[in-house]
């Protein structure tokens, strides 16, 4: 009898040990379930996240959320090492879904209503892949146009005040030339030396990098050539200084000096310029259009990982933090745009009207920019060539037609490698 009792007790101990083990979500029956969150911060995002997490834990005492903060440079390696060690985190803040696409939870299997959850987000970051909801957009940025308000007023040039007044490319170009002639600005525009920023013109021209299902190049087109030619014209006519794209000058610093009428950058510069510009007034206006309006979204996601034992709890938390009121709190505190429907115009402490314009730019942007730049295995493979060969065009070393042909081949080769 004693022998059988010992065997039963030993078996119970082994079973208890097994049920207590999991990955980044620690779980046992009738115990608090812990969600480990791998996180990086650019500013105070971690603090804002934990404020919301504390509120969630008050409402859900059976869940404990623990933040594992890492530098952004170490983020992917940290998560990969955790997965390889069979200790995947329950959740992570990501900029790139691609490396973990096969390890992420399909949130649609766990949220209360898959269609309602998916449709609670507007256009912007791509988060649905092959019908699977692999993450939720936490915050987004948008490319856009910042201008020297003092210089425009001195030149007597009015910027568009509504979406009904948006300039065409030619009108935009003439406005910048006028400000150069009638103000103290030496240049009309500084343009970030970024392939992602450049493609805003590509999309506005009606072009794209890929076809609609992202399976083939769409680069060698008249629309591409129009965008590249226009960008070259702005340089050749001295509207854009060559010192940025053909050199190493910082466009932010140039705009801060007051010698440039406009900066083609994005929503992230609002907080920066609020602190850094004191010598002139500045503002945000609408991007111009050619064939259509477009911006390009960027931003971060919150995703859950498989094989943690707490997939349901992680998905429940993502659904909760993605509610309009919770997402709004996070975005306002960190000066981000929101992709959540209903949060198009938030009550920011500074620059509310500026953020509204950036939000309208995102709303006017079709799905292609987000889909292409969300395909980060692809854009990562071609973006340096996209930029460097464009620099050759600006320098007169490559024709526009050659650029379109060369990039078309490089894009096709990159897609083949990704099969």
């Amino acid at each position: 009898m004693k022998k059988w009792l010992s065997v039963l007790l030993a078996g119970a101990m082994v079973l208890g040990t097994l049920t207590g083990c999991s990955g980044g979500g620690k779980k046992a029956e009738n115990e608090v379930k812990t969600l480990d969150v791998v996180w990086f911060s650019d500013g105070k995002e971690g603090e804002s996240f934990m404020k919301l997490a504390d509120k969630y834990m008050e409402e859900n005492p059976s869940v404990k959320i623990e933040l594992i903060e890492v530098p952004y440079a170490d983020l992917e390696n940290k998560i990969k090492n955790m997965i390889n060690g069979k200790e995947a985190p329950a959740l992570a803040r990501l900029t790139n879904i691609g490396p973990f696409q096969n390890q992420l939870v399909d949130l649609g299997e766990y949220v209360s209503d898959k269609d309602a959850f998916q449709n609670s987000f507007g256009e912007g970051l791509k988060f649905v892949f092959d019908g699977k909801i692999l993450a939720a957009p936490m915050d987004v940025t948008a490319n856009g146009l910042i201008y020297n308000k003092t210089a425009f007023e001195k030149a007597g040039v009015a910027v568009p005040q509504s979406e009904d007044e948006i300039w065409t490319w030619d009108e935009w170009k003439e406005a910048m030339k006028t400000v150069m002639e009638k103000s103290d600005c030496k240049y009309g525009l500084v343009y970030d030396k970024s392939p992602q920023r450049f493609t805003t013109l590509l999309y506005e021209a009606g072009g794209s990098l890929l076809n609609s299902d992202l399976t083939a190049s769409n680069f060698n087109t008249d629309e591409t050539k129009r965008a590249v030619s226009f960008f070259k014209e702005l340089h050749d006519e001295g509207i854009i200084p060559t010192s940025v794209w053909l050199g190493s000058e910082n466009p932010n610093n140039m705009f801060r000096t007051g010698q440039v009428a406009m900066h083609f950058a994005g929503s992230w510069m609002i907080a920066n310029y609020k602190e850094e510009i004191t010598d002139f007034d500045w503002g945000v206006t609408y991007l111009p259009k050619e064939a259509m309006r477009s911006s390009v979204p960027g931003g971060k996601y919150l995703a859950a990982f498989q094989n943690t034992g707490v997939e349901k709890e992680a998905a429940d938390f993502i659904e909760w933090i993605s509610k309009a009121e919770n997402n709004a709190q996070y975005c306002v505190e960190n000066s981000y745009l929101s992709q959540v429907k209903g949060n198009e115009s938030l009550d920011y402490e500074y620059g509310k009207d500026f953020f509204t314009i950036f939000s309208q730019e995102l709303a006017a942007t079709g799905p292609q920019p987000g889909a292409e730049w969300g395909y980060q295995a692809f854009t990562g493979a071609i973006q340096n060539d996209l930029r460097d060969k464009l620099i050759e065009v600006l320098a007169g070393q490559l024709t526009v037609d050659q650029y379109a042909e060369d990039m078309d081949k490089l894009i096709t080769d990159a897609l083949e490698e990704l099969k």
Side-chain angles (χ1 to χ4, degrees), residues 268-311:
W268 57 90
M269 292 305 300
I270 294 175
N272 179 287
Y273 283 164
K274 172 193 171 187
E275 303 296 333
E276 297 292 335
I277 295 178
T278 57
D279 295 334
F280 60 89
D281 292 332
W282 60 277
V284 173
T285 190
Y286 295 93
L287 286 168
K289 64 180 179 180
E290 182 68 354
M292 63 181 65
R293 293 179 62 190
S294 186
S295 181
V296 180
K300 289 94 177 176
Y301 308 86
L302 189 63
F305 285 81
Q306 301 171 14
N307 303 317
T308 62
V310 287
E311 288 88 346

Side-chain angles (χ1 to χ4, degrees), residues 146-151 184-187 189-192 241 244 249-266 268-283:
I146 297 170
Y147 74 104
N148 183 326
K149 189 175 182 181
T150 300
D184 299 326
C185 289
K186 183 177 180 181
Y187 300 105
L189 179 69
V190 279
Y191 203 109
D192 286 358
V244 176
E249 193 152 12
N250 186 316
N252 306 349
N253 291 342
M254 288 193 72
F255 185 75
R256 286 191 200 102
T257 66
Q259 63 178 316
V260 183
M262 308 191 95
H263 183 188
F264 200 113
W268 57 90
M269 292 305 300
I270 294 175
N272 179 287
Y273 283 164
K274 172 193 171 187
E275 303 296 333
E276 297 292 335
I277 295 178
T278 57
D279 295 334
F280 60 89
D281 292 332
W282 60 277

Side-chain angles (χ1 to χ4, degrees), residues 318-334:
I318 290 177
E319 184 174 10
W320 179 87
I321 205 170
S322 298
K323 289 181 178 178
E325 63 272 22
N326 298 324
N327 177 262
Q329 178 182 322
Y330 176 82
C331 289
V332 166
E333 288 184 2
N334 294 284

